[in-house]
Amino acid sequence: MFGFSRLTTLLSQSQSTETKVYLFFDQVTLAHHKSVEMWQSYLNYGPQSEAFITALTELQDIEHQADLLKREIEQTLYRKTLIPDLRSDVASLIDLTDRLINRQETIGLHLKIEQPAIPKSVGEELLILLNTVGETIDHTLLCAKSFFTDLQRVQEYHTKVIAFESQADKQCTRTKVMLFDTDIPLVNKIQLRYFCDRIDQVANLAEDISDRIAIFTLKRVQ
């Protein structure tokens, strides 16, 4: 476990860096919670509602704060005298995780611009999909935190991420089947399919991040 000792040394070199990394992960969690709130507001009150606009604005603010933290973490990593491949792994993890927020913000912006009409039954399925995506993100973050604190638990969380991502795929398919079974115009169905797929892609990205963490971990336990 020589690699593990090197990893704990990385975090112990700078308490402020460790704090920023965990603050960054908190922003990812907040972003998804705000994304769910945004969707709930859209479905309940519509695209012109104050609740929806406020939630989207707050999601954008979270994305901005995450970008600032990401830059600070990256600058600190490359100022420190660290083992190059370890420094690269951590920087890559932060960059990939930041994309979870970016993608959810992009979905929100498209929602604001396109303002799709969403049948109630489809909206209910979308919320279930969002919940499953949230579970995938949560376990990806647990996997990431384990990479910094307890390498033995990375595989446990990685396995759970895979299971939740698979569940998200199935829920996405279920939502699209229900969507195309409605009597709304085909053009509206195609428009809503875009949102189903983009939400599901957030779970796919979370799984990709978890896969990468698993690889980073293998390099340090062998």
Side-chain angles (χ1 to χ4, degrees):
M1 296 297 290
F2 178 65
F4 180 75
S5 66
R6 293 191 315 188
L7 189 59
T8 55
T9 300
L10 167 63
L11 289 182
S12 64
Q13 284 183 356
S14 173
Q15 188 66 40
S16 63
T17 302
E18 182 177 359
T19 299
K20 287 174 184 176
V21 167
Y22 281 91
L23 283 174
F24 177 80
F25 289 151
D26 286 345
Q27 295 303 304
V28 179
T29 300
L30 286 172
H32 183 70
H33 289 171
K34 191 57 63 176
S35 176
V36 172
E37 181 182 326
M38 176 189 72
W39 273 99
Q40 289 172 331
S41 298
Y42 184 93
L43 293 169
N44 290 329
Y45 309 114
Q48 304 299 327
S49 66
E50 182 179 350
F52 169 71
I53 297 300
T54 298
L56 175 56
T57 300
E58 290 175 351
L59 176 57
Q60 291 174 304
D61 289 342
I62 292 168
E63 190 276 335
H64 177 66
Q65 291 301 317
D67 277 349
L68 293 177
L69 280 168
K70 174 176 172 285
R71 294 189 188 99
E72 290 177 10
I73 293 166
E74 290 172 342
Q75 289 171 6
T76 302
L77 287 174
Y78 285 95
R79 282 201 306 267
K80 298 288 184 181
T81 305
L82 302 173
I83 300 167
D85 78 307
L86 179 55
R87 179 176 59 199
S88 176
D89 287 351
V90 175
S92 176
L93 172 58
I94 296 299
D95 180 64
L96 285 170
T97 307
D98 184 53
R99 296 179 194 179
L100 290 171
I101 302 177
N102 295 340
R103 291 196 180 186
Q104 292 180 95
E105 181 199 21
T106 298
I107 292 170
L109 289 172
H110 278 275
L111 196 58
K112 178 183 179 182
I113 293 167
E114 298 183 28
Q115 301 183 20
I118 305 177
K120 183 178 179 181
S121 60
V122 176
E124 291 171 349
E125 293 298 320
L126 280 174
L127 290 178
I128 295 172
L129 174 58
L130 284 163
N131 181 66
T132 307
V133 171
E135 292 281 9
T136 312
I137 292 173
D138 287 346
H139 284 82
T140 297
L141 293 176
L142 288 171
C143 190
K145 291 175 182 178
S146 294
F147 177 65
F148 290 107
T149 60
D150 185 1
L151 290 176
Q152 300 292 344
R153 301 203 67 184
V154 167
Q155 186 57 46
E156 172 190 344
Y157 291 124
H158 181 222
T159 300
K160 290 181 179 179
V161 169
I162 293 171
F164 280 117
E165 192 279 333
S166 177
Q167 185 178 334
D169 283 345
K170 292 175 183 176
Q171 178 60 32
C172 181
T173 299
R174 171 186 167 87
T175 304
K176 289 189 289 186
V177 168
M178 181 174 290
L179 167 64
F180 279 86
D181 196 40
T182 65
D183 57 2
I184 65 175
L186 179 60
V187 64
N188 297 114
K189 294 178 181 179
I190 294 172
Q191 180 190 34
L192 284 177
R193 183 183 65 187
Y194 163 88
F195 287 99
C196 294
D197 287 337
R198 293 306 182 275
I199 293 171
D200 186 43
Q201 284 174 8
V202 176
N204 295 341
L205 175 58
E207 183 183 35
D208 290 344
I209 294 168
S210 181
D211 289 342
R212 189 73 65 88
I213 295 169
I215 294 171
F216 293 163
T217 301
L218 284 174
K219 292 194 299 183
R220 288 174 172 79
V221 298
Q222 292 179 344

